[in-house]
Amino acid sequence: MLSAMLFGIGVYGLVTKRNALRLLFAVELMINAANLNFVAFNQYLPYAQQANAFGQTFVLFSIALAAAEAAVLLSIVIVAYRLHNDIDVSEMRTLEG
């Protein structure tokens, strides 16, 4: 239930917002919703006592990928701000100056 709400808020932010940082936050909310699902549904795996760390392992990889994705997107936002003095994605067509 919580992850569905987080995912819904993330989709809403992704669809309605034009600010690049808010889009990044919306994507991070969606990734965290998926991580919550991985951890929550890990207990329903067959042989859950032996395979107890599958969900947590996927979440650790997902957090690492999300951190890398956030670093790349933040660097793109910084470059876009230096070039356009704004981070509104609706007005950015290219990263040219």
Side-chain angles (χ1 to χ4, degrees), residues 22-57:
R22 289 183 185 205
L23 292 176
L24 177 64
F25 293 150
V27 169
E28 292 296 324
L29 278 177
M30 293 169 62
I31 290 171
N32 285 330
N35 289 342
L36 276 175
N37 273 336
F38 273 126
V39 172
F41 287 106
N42 182 43
Q43 66 179 345
Y44 297 114
L45 286 175
Y47 307 107
Q49 287 78 22
Q50 290 89 15
N52 201 11
F54 279 154
Q56 288 87 353
T57 305

Side-chain angles (χ1 to χ4, degrees), residues 39-78:
V39 172
F41 287 106
N42 182 43
Q43 66 179 345
Y44 297 114
L45 286 175
Y47 307 107
Q49 287 78 22
Q50 290 89 15
N52 201 11
F54 279 154
Q56 288 87 353
T57 305
F58 281 125
V59 167
L60 284 176
F61 281 118
S62 174
I63 288 171
L65 288 174
E69 171 254 341
V72 169
L73 284 180
L74 282 174
S75 64
I76 290 173
V77 167
I78 289 171

